Amino acid sequence: SAPQRASTPWQYNTPIRSVEEDVGGGLPVKKGSATTAMPGNYVRRVRTKAQRAMYKPSSSWQQQIADLKILAEAASRAGNLPAAAQAFHKMGVIYDNAAKYKEAIEAYKQFLSLCVSTKNIAGEGLGYNCLGINYHKLGQYDLAVQYHNKHLEVGDAHGRFMAHTNLGICFLAMGLPEHS
Protein backbone atom coordinates (compact mmCIF):
# COMPACT_ATOMS: atom_id res chain seq x y z
CA SER A 1 0.00 0.00 0.00
CA ALA A 2 1.30 3.45 -0.91
CA PRO A 3 1.47 6.34 1.58
CA GLN A 4 -1.29 8.94 1.31
CA ARG A 5 -0.39 12.45 0.14
CA ALA A 6 -2.05 15.54 1.53
CA SER A 7 -3.88 17.66 -1.04
CA THR A 8 -2.10 20.81 -2.05
CA PRO A 9 -4.15 23.98 -1.62
CA TRP A 10 -5.41 25.17 -5.02
CA GLN A 11 -3.78 28.56 -4.44
CA TYR A 12 -0.34 26.92 -4.69
CA ASN A 13 -0.91 26.26 -8.40
CA THR A 14 1.27 23.18 -8.11
CA PRO A 15 2.25 21.03 -11.09
CA ILE A 16 0.22 17.85 -11.37
CA ARG A 17 1.79 14.83 -9.70
CA SER A 18 2.50 12.02 -12.12
CA VAL A 19 0.45 9.61 -9.98
CA GLU A 20 -2.58 11.92 -10.24
CA GLU A 21 -2.78 11.72 -14.03
CA ASP A 22 -5.83 9.41 -14.07
CA VAL A 23 -8.80 11.48 -12.90
CA GLY A 24 -11.49 8.95 -13.83
CA GLY A 25 -15.15 9.60 -14.52
CA GLY A 26 -17.68 11.47 -12.42
CA LEU A 27 -20.98 10.50 -10.91
CA PRO A 28 -23.73 9.41 -13.27
CA VAL A 29 -25.57 12.46 -14.59
CA LYS A 30 -28.96 12.57 -16.33
CA LYS A 31 -28.64 14.35 -19.63
CA GLY A 32 -31.11 17.09 -20.49
CA SER A 33 -32.19 17.75 -16.93
CA ALA A 34 -32.41 21.42 -15.90
CA THR A 35 -31.08 20.49 -12.48
CA THR A 36 -28.24 18.29 -13.69
CA ALA A 37 -25.69 17.88 -10.93
CA MET A 38 -22.03 18.49 -11.62
CA PRO A 39 -19.91 15.36 -11.77
CA GLY A 40 -18.30 14.46 -8.46
CA ASN A 41 -14.82 15.17 -9.76
CA TYR A 42 -15.60 18.41 -11.64
CA VAL A 43 -13.32 20.65 -9.59
CA ARG A 44 -10.52 18.10 -9.77
CA ARG A 45 -10.86 17.88 -13.57
CA VAL A 46 -10.81 21.68 -13.96
CA ARG A 47 -7.76 21.93 -11.70
CA THR A 48 -5.97 19.17 -13.63
CA LYS A 49 -6.70 20.88 -16.94
CA ALA A 50 -5.34 24.19 -15.61
CA GLN A 51 -2.22 22.49 -14.26
CA ARG A 52 -1.55 20.77 -17.57
CA ALA A 53 -1.99 24.06 -19.43
CA MET A 54 0.38 25.86 -17.08
CA TYR A 55 3.13 23.25 -16.99
CA LYS A 56 3.63 22.22 -20.60
CA PRO A 57 5.52 18.97 -21.11
CA SER A 58 7.59 20.80 -23.75
CA SER A 59 9.79 22.27 -21.02
CA SER A 60 12.03 19.82 -19.22
CA TRP A 61 11.76 19.28 -15.50
CA GLN A 62 15.30 20.64 -15.18
CA GLN A 63 14.23 23.91 -16.80
CA GLN A 64 11.19 24.11 -14.53
CA ILE A 65 13.44 23.64 -11.49
CA ALA A 66 15.85 26.33 -12.72
CA ASP A 67 12.96 28.76 -13.20
CA LEU A 68 11.53 27.98 -9.75
CA LYS A 69 14.92 28.48 -8.08
CA ILE A 70 15.09 31.96 -9.60
CA LEU A 71 11.52 32.64 -8.50
CA ALA A 72 12.19 31.43 -4.95
CA GLU A 73 15.32 33.55 -4.67
CA ALA A 74 13.57 36.66 -6.00
CA ALA A 75 10.58 36.15 -3.69
CA SER A 76 12.89 35.71 -0.69
CA ARG A 77 14.83 38.87 -1.52
CA ALA A 78 11.56 40.77 -1.88
CA GLY A 79 10.40 39.49 1.51
CA ASN A 80 7.55 37.47 0.03
CA LEU A 81 8.19 34.30 2.03
CA PRO A 82 4.85 32.64 1.20
CA ALA A 83 5.66 32.88 -2.54
CA ALA A 84 9.13 31.48 -1.89
CA ALA A 85 7.59 28.62 0.09
CA GLN A 86 5.22 27.81 -2.77
CA ALA A 87 8.13 27.78 -5.23
CA PHE A 88 10.01 25.29 -3.05
CA HIS A 89 6.90 23.10 -2.80
CA LYS A 90 6.53 23.14 -6.58
CA MET A 91 10.18 22.13 -6.89
CA GLY A 92 9.53 19.21 -4.56
CA VAL A 93 6.59 18.02 -6.68
CA ILE A 94 8.64 18.28 -9.88
CA TYR A 95 11.51 16.34 -8.28
CA ASP A 96 8.98 13.72 -7.07
CA ASN A 97 7.64 13.35 -10.60
CA ALA A 98 11.20 12.80 -11.82
CA ALA A 99 11.77 10.21 -9.02
CA LYS A 100 14.53 12.43 -7.56
CA TYR A 101 13.43 11.90 -3.96
CA LYS A 102 16.60 13.17 -2.25
CA GLU A 103 16.38 16.46 -4.14
CA ALA A 104 12.66 16.64 -3.37
CA ILE A 105 13.43 16.22 0.32
CA GLU A 106 15.76 19.23 0.22
CA ALA A 107 13.08 21.33 -1.50
CA TYR A 108 10.42 20.20 1.00
CA LYS A 109 12.75 21.04 3.90
CA GLN A 110 13.07 24.59 2.54
CA PHE A 111 9.29 24.72 2.13
CA LEU A 112 8.77 23.48 5.70
CA SER A 113 11.29 25.96 7.09
CA LEU A 114 9.50 28.87 5.42
CA CYS A 115 6.09 27.61 6.57
CA VAL A 116 7.32 27.39 10.17
CA SER A 117 8.82 30.89 10.03
CA THR A 118 5.60 32.38 8.59
CA LYS A 119 3.38 30.35 10.97
CA ASN A 120 1.61 28.61 8.08
CA ILE A 121 0.23 25.60 9.99
CA ALA A 122 -1.47 24.03 6.94
CA GLY A 123 1.75 24.34 4.94
CA GLU A 124 3.67 22.89 7.86
CA GLY A 125 1.44 19.80 7.86
CA LEU A 126 1.82 19.48 4.09
CA GLY A 127 5.61 19.70 4.43
CA TYR A 128 5.73 17.01 7.12
CA ASN A 129 3.50 14.79 4.96
CA CYS A 130 5.68 15.22 1.86
CA LEU A 131 8.89 14.58 3.81
CA GLY A 132 7.46 11.50 5.50
CA ILE A 133 6.37 10.03 2.17
CA ASN A 134 9.69 10.69 0.47
CA TYR A 135 11.67 9.14 3.31
CA HIS A 136 9.30 6.17 3.07
CA LYS A 137 10.03 5.89 -0.66
CA LEU A 138 13.76 5.88 0.11
CA GLY A 139 13.28 3.11 2.68
CA GLN A 140 14.24 5.37 5.60
CA TYR A 141 11.27 4.36 7.70
CA ASP A 142 12.50 5.79 11.02
CA LEU A 143 12.68 9.28 9.51
CA ALA A 144 9.34 8.74 7.79
CA VAL A 145 7.75 7.87 11.14
CA GLN A 146 9.25 11.02 12.71
CA TYR A 147 7.77 13.27 10.02
CA HIS A 148 4.39 11.53 10.07
CA ASN A 149 4.30 11.98 13.86
CA LYS A 150 4.99 15.71 13.41
CA HIS A 151 2.18 15.83 10.84
CA LEU A 152 -0.02 14.16 13.45
CA GLU A 153 0.80 16.96 15.92
CA VAL A 154 -0.02 19.90 13.63
CA GLY A 155 -2.68 18.43 11.34
CA ASP A 156 -6.40 19.08 11.35
CA ALA A 157 -8.80 16.11 11.54
CA HIS A 158 -8.14 15.13 7.91
CA GLY A 159 -4.40 15.55 8.35
CA ARG A 160 -4.35 13.46 11.52
CA PHE A 161 -6.27 10.69 9.74
CA MET A 162 -3.75 10.78 6.89
CA ALA A 163 -0.81 10.78 9.33
CA HIS A 164 -2.25 7.76 11.18
CA THR A 165 -2.71 5.94 7.87
CA ASN A 166 0.86 6.70 6.80
CA LEU A 167 2.23 5.64 10.18
CA GLY A 168 0.44 2.30 9.80
CA ILE A 169 1.91 1.86 6.32
CA CYS A 170 5.39 2.66 7.64
CA PHE A 171 5.08 0.21 10.52
CA LEU A 172 3.92 -2.50 8.12
CA ALA A 173 6.92 -1.80 5.88
CA MET A 174 9.17 -2.04 8.95
CA GLY A 175 7.74 -5.46 9.76
CA LEU A 176 5.87 -4.22 12.83
CA PRO A 177 2.23 -5.03 12.02
CA GLU A 178 1.28 -4.90 15.70
CA HIS A 179 2.03 -1.15 15.72
CA SER A 180 0.07 -0.41 12.60
Side-chain angles (χ1 to χ4, degrees), residues 17-128:
R17 289 189 182 274
S18 59
V19 296
E20 293 177 349
E21 291 286 337
D22 179 24
V23 294
L27 299 172
V29 177
K30 260 199 231 175
K31 297 201 183 229
S33 169
T35 59
T36 303
M38 284 195 292
N41 65 351
Y42 175 76
V43 172
R44 186 172 174 197
R45 285 191 345 236
V46 169
R47 179 180 180 193
T48 301
K49 186 175 180 181
Q51 287 170 324
R52 283 190 182 130
M54 186 169 189
Y55 293 94
K56 302 272 188 227
S58 60
S59 66
S60 70
W61 66 267
Q62 292 98 337
Q63 183 59 51
Q64 291 175 355
I65 293 292
D67 293 345
L68 287 168
K69 283 182 179 177
I70 292 169
L71 179 66
E73 186 179 325
S76 292
R77 274 188 279 133
N80 189 350
L81 298 182
Q86 289 178 19
F88 281 113
H89 182 265
K90 289 176 188 178
M91 278 188 249
V93 172
I94 292 169
Y95 279 131
D96 278 345
N97 287 345
K100 304 284 185 189
Y101 301 118
K102 290 179 183 177
E103 291 88 346
I105 285 171
E106 294 308 312
Y108 289 137
K109 283 182 178 179
Q110 290 282 344
F111 169 70
L112 179 61
S113 169
L114 289 168
C115 287
V116 169
S117 68
T118 58
K119 296 179 175 45
N120 177 352
I121 302 298
E124 204 175 322
L126 178 62
Y128 289 134

